[in-house]
């Protein structure tokens, strides 16, 4: 859930063939069969042997270098058989067979380089997943009076990891959540995200006012970034059915209520963390069944053919059913389908549902007073 890398590295070694190797082998064998059939139909001398030089290169586009060598050896043998079938082997036929052998070596080298790159990308993806999972932790399913789910959708447009972040905690001041987006990519962004989350996990328990939490986070960011780095963030607090939101340059959360979708824009704009934001809280009274979607700007920027994903128009239909986890799964499916599987930026999503006020605790009656209490 935290990091989904949609890559399928080619298998190496002597195990079963990977799907890529099978596809490359099949395409190369089909080409050899077609050329051989054309050669047999045409008769002597060998006119089409030179076309077999394409077989190892075709295999190299998808298959492993071992498969490429096998295809090249087969192509060389078939070419040599057609050349030897001539009454007198011509110089052209000999050069064609030699060319197939040379092409096999070049194609195998290309396949080896491609396999090495695929393995390095796969290793980097694993390291990225470990780094990001060390920063983000699973949410929910219940935090205080809220049902909560979080989801991280990884971009397929780049192998770099992003700095999107989220957290939800039950504190003495109510359930508090944060969602944020670090400017930039790579491990530096993950490092800054970990600093923000580490600070938030501490100060969320210590500061009664969300504005004080913002001030502490801004100091933490300012101490650890350059002049052009920053973190957009939205902080949410639910206490006794009252929702308080402070926004530091982040996309406004969406409130889903009885079929309507309401953007909770801040009373006044504020800059991101790192630029000393002065925030004004927005306060809403929640109703049981209300849902709130927090998201990073990757959702707002997702588009196909220049048309942006209609988040507000489709939010209720996608997010208003089942559990909050079901809602996020539906949103991700619709989003990936909209962009045809290619996102330009990572996306962090948090969906919460207000289930009602926490019941007041009742004092336990000692067993020896039960009779007196009933009388």
């Amino acid at each position: 859930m935290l990091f989904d890398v949609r890559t399928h590295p080619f298998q190496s070694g002597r195990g079963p063939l990977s799907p890529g190797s099978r596809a490359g082998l099949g395409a190369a064998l089909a080409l050899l069969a077609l050329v051989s059939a054309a050669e047999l139909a045409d008769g002597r001398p060998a006119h089409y042997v030179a076309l077999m030089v394409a077989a190892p290169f075709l295999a190299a586009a998808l298959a492993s270098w071992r498969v490429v060598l096998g295809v090249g050896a087969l192509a060389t043998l078939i070419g040599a058989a057609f050349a030897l079938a001539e009454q007198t082997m011509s110089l052209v036929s000999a050069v064609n067979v030699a060319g197939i052998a040379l092409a096999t070596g070049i194609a195998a080298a290309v396949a080896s380089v491609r396999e090495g790159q695929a393995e390095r990308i796969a290793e980097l993806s694993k390291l990225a997943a470990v780094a990001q999972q060390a920063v983000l932790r699973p949410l929910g399913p219940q935090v205080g009076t809220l049902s909560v789910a979080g989801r991280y959708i990884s971009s397929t447009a780049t192998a770099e990891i992003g700095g999107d972040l989220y957290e939800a905690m039950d504190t003495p001041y109510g359930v508090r959540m944060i969602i944020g987006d670090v400017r930039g990519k790579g491990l530096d962004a993950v490092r800054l995200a970990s600093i923000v989350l580490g600070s938030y996990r501490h100060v969320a328990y210590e500061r009664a006012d969300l504005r004080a939490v913002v001030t502490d986070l801004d100091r933490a960011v300012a101490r650890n970034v350059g002049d052009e780095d920053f973190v957009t963030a939205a902080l949410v607090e639910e206490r006794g059915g009252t929702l308080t939101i402070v926004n530091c340059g982040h996309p406004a959360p969406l409130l889903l209520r009885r079929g309507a979708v309401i953007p909770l824009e801040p009373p006044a704009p504020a800059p991101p963390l790192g630029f000393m934001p002065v925030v004004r809280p927005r306060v809403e009274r929640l109703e049981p069944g209300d849902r709130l979607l927090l998201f990073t700007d990757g959702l707002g920027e997702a588009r196909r053919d220049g048309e942006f994903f209609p988040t507000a128009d489709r939010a209720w239909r996608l997010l208003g059913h089942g559990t909050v986890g079901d809602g996020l799964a539906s949103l991700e499916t619709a989003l990936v389908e909209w962009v045809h599987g290619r996102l330009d930026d990572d996306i962090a999503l948090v969906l919460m549902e207000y289930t009602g006020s926490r019941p007041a605790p009742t004092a336990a009656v000692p067993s020896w007073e039960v009779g007196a209490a009933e009388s």
Side-chain angles (χ1 to χ4, degrees):
M1 178 186 75
L2 299 181
F3 195 82
D4 178 19
V5 182
R6 296 177 175 85
T7 58
H8 302 279
F10 299 99
Q11 296 179 4
S12 59
R14 302 182 184 275
L17 291 180
S18 69
S21 289
R22 288 196 296 269
L25 177 59
L29 292 179
L31 175 63
L32 292 178
L34 287 174
V35 174
S36 298
E39 196 68 73
L40 290 172
D42 184 66
R44 301 175 184 176
H47 288 155
Y48 306 107
V49 169
L51 295 177
M52 294 184 180
V53 76
F57 286 110
L58 185 59
L62 296 171
S64 68
W65 64 269
R66 291 183 177 85
V67 172
V68 173
L69 284 179
V71 168
L74 179 60
T76 303
L77 290 174
I78 294 174
F82 280 116
L84 292 173
E86 299 177 355
Q87 293 180 353
T88 303
M89 182 185 294
S90 65
L91 178 61
V92 173
S93 296
V95 170
N96 287 339
V97 173
I100 296 172
L102 177 61
T104 298
I106 297 173
V110 171
S112 178
V113 171
R114 179 186 48 73
E115 279 189 291
Q117 292 175 340
E119 290 173 359
R120 284 192 292 272
I121 291 174
E123 186 64 25
L124 289 174
S125 297
K126 292 178 183 178
L127 292 175
V130 171
Q132 209 136 34
Q133 289 171 5
V135 173
L136 300 177
R137 57 189 182 189
L139 299 184
Q142 193 75 23
V143 181
T145 59
L146 305 178
S147 298
V148 180
R151 204 169 189 91
Y152 197 102
I153 306 174
S154 174
S155 166
T156 58
T158 173
E160 288 188 300
I161 53 178
D164 294 18
L165 58 97
Y166 54 71
E167 181 61 285
M169 300 181 299
D170 191 7
T171 75
Y173 310 105
V175 177
R176 286 181 165 178
M177 295 181 288
I178 184 174
I179 191 164
D181 190 358
V182 177
R183 178 185 179 273
K185 293 280 187 180
L187 290 177
D188 286 341
V190 174
R191 179 188 63 84
L192 184 54
S194 69
I195 291 172
V196 173
L197 284 176
S199 299
Y200 178 76
R201 287 163 181 161
H202 172 71
V203 299
Y205 284 94
E206 302 296 328
R207 301 286 186 257
D209 194 323
L210 281 182
R211 288 170 293 188
V213 176
V214 169
T215 299
D216 288 344
L217 294 180
D218 178 68
R219 291 172 181 165
V221 171
R223 285 194 297 264
N224 292 278
V225 299
D227 295 336
E228 298 182 356
D229 295 326
F230 57 84
V231 181
T232 67
L235 284 74
V236 177
E237 175 187 282
E238 183 278 323
R239 188 190 313 189
T242 298
L243 185 72
T244 305
I245 303 172
V246 293
N247 197 315
C248 305
H250 199 77
L254 299 179
L255 176 64
L256 285 70
R257 172 178 292 167
R258 299 193 300 271
V261 179
I262 308 167
L264 299 183
E265 299 287 351
L273 299 173
F275 292 124
M276 296 183 291
V278 178
V279 295
R280 291 179 56 190
R282 173 161 181 166
V283 180
E284 298 283 337
R285 188 65 187 174
L286 291 175
E287 300 176 3
D290 282 353
R291 291 189 173 187
L292 186 72
L293 175 66
L294 309 174
F295 57 93
T296 53
D297 59 5
L299 179 61
E301 295 172 357
R303 59 186 179 272
R304 67 177 182 194
D305 302 327
E307 185 178 0
F308 291 95
F309 181 74
T311 303
D313 294 339
R314 302 181 64 178
W316 178 260
R317 185 170 56 189
L318 294 171
L319 301 171
H321 67 91
T323 66
V324 287
D326 295 335
L328 289 186
S330 296
L331 177 58
E332 179 180 3
T333 299
L335 177 64
V336 172
E337 181 182 356
W338 177 271
V339 299
H340 303 303
R342 293 195 61 83
L343 292 167
D344 294 328
D345 194 7
D346 292 355
I347 302 172
L349 302 169
V350 176
L351 183 63
M352 54 144 276
E353 180 179 0
Y354 176 64
T355 55
S357 300
R358 196 193 309 258
T362 56
V365 179
S367 59
W368 59 83
E369 293 184 4
V370 170
E374 293 177 350
S375 60

